Amino acid sequence: MISIIAMRVKPNSKTNSVKKTADGYVVHTKARAIDGKANGAVVKLLAESFGVPKTRVRLVRGRTSRRKIFEIL
């Protein structure tokens, strides 16, 4: 089963969390948005939240944007 998930990422937050909203998901991460660190942290958070390995979470769109689309295989 493949899921496409739209989300808004909030880097440099006080906590790490994944919250479902009416428009998709909001992900708060402590990682800063420098050199892809926030993207890596979001992949890890999504993998933990959905109970899949990190290798099954892929960034589809929005590498440098706060609005991102991820694919979970």
Side-chain angles (χ1 to χ4, degrees):
M1 182 174 137
I2 297 175
S3 298
I4 303 294
I5 299 172
M7 66 186 59
R8 179 167 170 83
V9 175
K10 295 189 177 185
N12 204 26
S13 297
K14 291 185 179 187
T15 61
N16 289 322
S17 66
V18 178
K19 297 178 183 176
K20 186 167 174 54
T21 65
D23 297 332
Y25 287 84
V26 176
V27 179
H28 296 266
T29 180
K30 292 180 182 179
R32 298 189 68 186
I34 297 174
D35 297 329
K37 291 180 182 177
N39 288 338
V42 171
V43 167
K44 183 178 176 183
L45 285 170
L46 290 174
E48 289 173 1
S49 294
F50 289 97
V52 297
K54 290 188 297 187
T55 57
R56 296 192 52 197
V57 179
R58 184 175 73 96
L59 177 61
V60 176
R61 187 177 307 144
R63 187 176 61 83
T64 59
S65 173
R66 289 181 187 236
R67 297 197 181 274
K68 301 181 184 296
I69 296 179
F70 278 89
E71 178 179 67
I72 300 180
L73 306 171

